[in-house]
Each structure stands twice: as structure tokens, then as C-alpha cells.
Amino acid sequence: MPSAPSKLYADDVSLLVVTLDTNPFFWTTFPFPFAEFLSQVLAFLNSILLLGQLNQLIVIATGCNSCAYVYDSTSERNHGSTTGTMPALYSNLLHNLHEFLARDKQLEASHKPGTVPSSLLSGSLSMALCYIQRAFRSGPMPPQPRILCLQGTADGPEQYVAIMNAIFSAQRSTVPIDSCYIGSNNSAFLQQASYITGGIYYKPPQLDGLYQYLSTVFATDLHSRAFLRLPKSVGVDFRASCFCHKQTIDMGFVCSVCLSIFCEHHDKCSTCGSVFGQAKVDASEANRKRKA
């Protein structure tokens, strides 16, 4: 998949929207501590702002029940230092992140014991695209927009439709979605997102050097990527999730009207209400027998 075009944007200004996975159920079971992960991510975010004084940075926290903006470099209160020893990026982001985690915990829903609920990736992608669309209307030459998903939680099949809608919306707006997945297995959703939108999907082999991977792979703007040899997607998982049981399937039945996917045959589409062919034949034969 070719890189996303950047001719409509200012080549030297970037707008980076980062979605940060903060799912507490994942981080309590993952061997790499969240504090170490966050420290390396903060160093990477700081380097993005140091690369250009006009660069814009937005951070969206992705919880298992909600999403929220936790940092906006364009905000006036983030231009200065709130403490004498800590930059505004660190102090304001950590403060907002702490408040978000407390609010998200209050919204905690029940889940099966021993399982890790999925993070609300569809919500954070939608919020990122909304912010980017607002930036498009800010002037004739907006900064180069791109989304970076820092994700560790496994895919939630129940979010398949919402995530695919966000992916196609990003593709239509020529917004690449980069993905850095740190979980045990690959993420089919993020693989498809990066492949379809012309972004980069990468799974760091060693998390101890996460900052080096982030700075060498994801720090480059869209204009500079044409001159670099960056990782390419290999073996993208294009499997879909069924609409009936929200499970990933290899083969299924597709509604010819609304393109809903089902793992089992149904007489009627539960999404649009269309009656399938064999059901129509059976109904017509039953009516004919009654008349006879």
C-alpha cells in the first residue's frame, strides 16, 4: 500500500494524534510495567515537539469504558511550565491521565473473571478523526495529520463495525494510521488500519528499547517517509467479525443489501431486515400450498 499523499498539507508541520492504551486489566497482567511504558512514550512525545516548534501533538487516553483528550499542545495552558521542575507536557498529561483513570474506573462494567476486556479503540479513533477534521477547517494549509495507536490490549470483535468505519473515514481523508502494538499477538484491526490508510504497523521485538523504536519508525513526517526504508506490513490478517456473535471468522454469510456478516445462515438479516433468497422461496411455496 503506497504512503498517504501529503501534497495538500504544509510539509514542515505535523499534527500527531496519539491514542494511548490505558486499560488497567491489561497492564496488571502484562510483564512490562505501565510506568516504564509511559516514561518512554513521554520522551518520544517530547521529541516530536522538539523536531519543530510548529508541530502539534494531541494525546487521547483509551480506557476500557471511555476515552478522553489528556493533552493538547495547542492549548494555552500547555505552553508554559506548571511546576518548577517538570515540563508542561509531563505535568499536565500526567495530571489529566490520573483524573481520566479515576473516572474510567467508576464506569467499570462487569466482565468474565480471568479475561481482559478490550480497550475502546473505536472511540479513540473517532475522537482523533474529529479533531483532525476540525484542523482541516483551520486554514488553507493545515499541518500534516496522522494517527499513532499505542495499543496493547487484544482486539474486541464487538467493535469491528465501528473500527472499520473509522478506518475507511481516515482513508477517505488521506490520514494514515500508524500502529505500535506491544501485546502478545498481532492486532488484526490495527494491521488492516495501517495497510488500508498507508500507515506503518510495527510490533517492537523488545520493549526495553521502545523509545528507540518509536523515534526511528514513527517520528518521521509524511514528507520524509518517501526517502526512508521503513517497516512494511507482512501477512496482514483480513479476517472479519460476525455481526451475530461478534467473533472473528474465516468463512461466513454476507447480506447482499447491507453487507452484514454472519457466521451462520439466517432467513432474515438482523441488521437491515432483508429476507434472503431461500427464505423467499420457502415462503412462496408455503403460500402456494395454502391456496391449493
Side-chain angles (χ1 to χ4, degrees), residues 9 31 44 52 56 58 68 70 88-89 107 114 122 127 129 134 152 180-182 201 206-207 214 219 246 264 274-275:
Y9 316 119
F44 165 72
Q56 301 177 17
I58 311 298
V70 294
L89 168 63
L107 301 173
S122 58
M127 293 178 66
L129 290 171
R134 187 168 58 189
C180 180
Y181 189 73
I182 64 173
Y201 176 88
Q206 296 181 352
L207 295 181
L214 292 174
K246 312 299 182 184
E264 301 174 349
S274 300
V275 180

Side-chain angles (χ1 to χ4, degrees), residues 165-178:
N165 287 337
I167 292 173
F168 291 129
S169 177
Q171 181 192 36
R172 183 178 180 84
S173 302
T174 63
V175 177
I177 299 177
D178 297 330

Side-chain angles (χ1 to χ4, degrees), residues 209-225:
L210 180 62
Y211 170 74
Q212 284 76 10
Y213 295 119
L214 292 174
S215 59
T216 55
V217 177
F218 300 106
T220 53
D221 56 70
L222 301 183
H223 178 71
S224 303
R225 290 184 179 185

Side-chain angles (χ1 to χ4, degrees), residues 32-204:
F32 194 70
F34 179 72
E36 179 64 23
F37 166 78
L38 187 59
S39 64
Q40 299 198 42
V41 170
L42 287 175
F44 165 72
L45 299 179
N46 193 44
S47 65
I48 293 294
L49 296 177
L50 292 175
L51 286 174
Q53 61 178 354
L54 298 179
N55 286 348
Q56 301 177 17
L57 175 65
I58 311 298
V59 181
I60 301 175
T62 307
C64 54
N65 303 292
S66 62
C67 304
Y69 297 102
V70 294
Y71 183 78
D72 184 352
S73 63
T74 62
S75 176
E76 293 183 358
R77 68 190 189 97
N78 291 327
H79 289 170
S81 177
T82 56
T83 65
T85 59
M86 189 178 297
L89 168 63
Y90 289 28
S91 59
N92 292 346
L93 193 151
L94 291 176
H95 174 73
N96 295 335
L97 186 60
H98 179 75
E99 291 184 344
F100 166 78
L101 291 175
R103 293 194 307 268
D104 189 66
K105 186 177 181 180
Q106 295 177 354
L107 301 173
E108 183 176 320
S110 60
H111 64 282
K112 294 182 180 180
T115 61
V116 177
S118 60
S119 299
L120 200 59
L121 179 61
S122 58
S124 59
L125 285 176
S126 300
M127 293 178 66
L129 290 171
C130 288
Y131 190 96
I132 290 174
Q133 290 298 324
R134 187 168 58 189
F136 282 157
R137 295 168 172 80
S138 61
M141 289 289 288
Q144 290 182 340
R146 53 193 172 101
I147 301 174
L148 172 59
C149 297
L150 300 177
Q151 194 74 9
T153 311
D155 294 337
E158 69 279 359
Q159 301 182 57
Y160 173 75
V161 177
I163 290 178
M164 292 307 298
N165 287 337
I167 292 173
F168 291 129
S169 177
Q171 181 192 36
R172 183 178 180 84
S173 302
T174 63
V175 177
I177 299 177
D178 297 330
S179 307
C180 180
Y181 189 73
I182 64 173
S184 302
N185 300 316
N186 284 309
S187 169
F189 289 168
L190 291 180
Q191 282 182 331
Q192 295 181 44
S194 298
Y195 181 84
I196 293 173
T197 60
I200 301 172
Y201 176 88
Y202 189 68
K203 188 177 185 301

Side-chain angles (χ1 to χ4, degrees), residues 219-255:
T220 53
D221 56 70
L222 301 183
H223 178 71
S224 303
R225 290 184 179 185
F227 308 98
L228 301 175
R229 184 181 294 272
L230 298 172
K232 297 182 179 180
S233 299
V234 179
V236 180
D237 188 355
F238 287 106
R239 290 184 299 172
S241 298
C242 66
F243 286 37
C244 46
H245 299 93
K246 312 299 182 184
Q247 297 178 350
T248 303
I249 58 176
D250 297 313
M251 298 182 63
F253 301 88
V254 181
C255 174

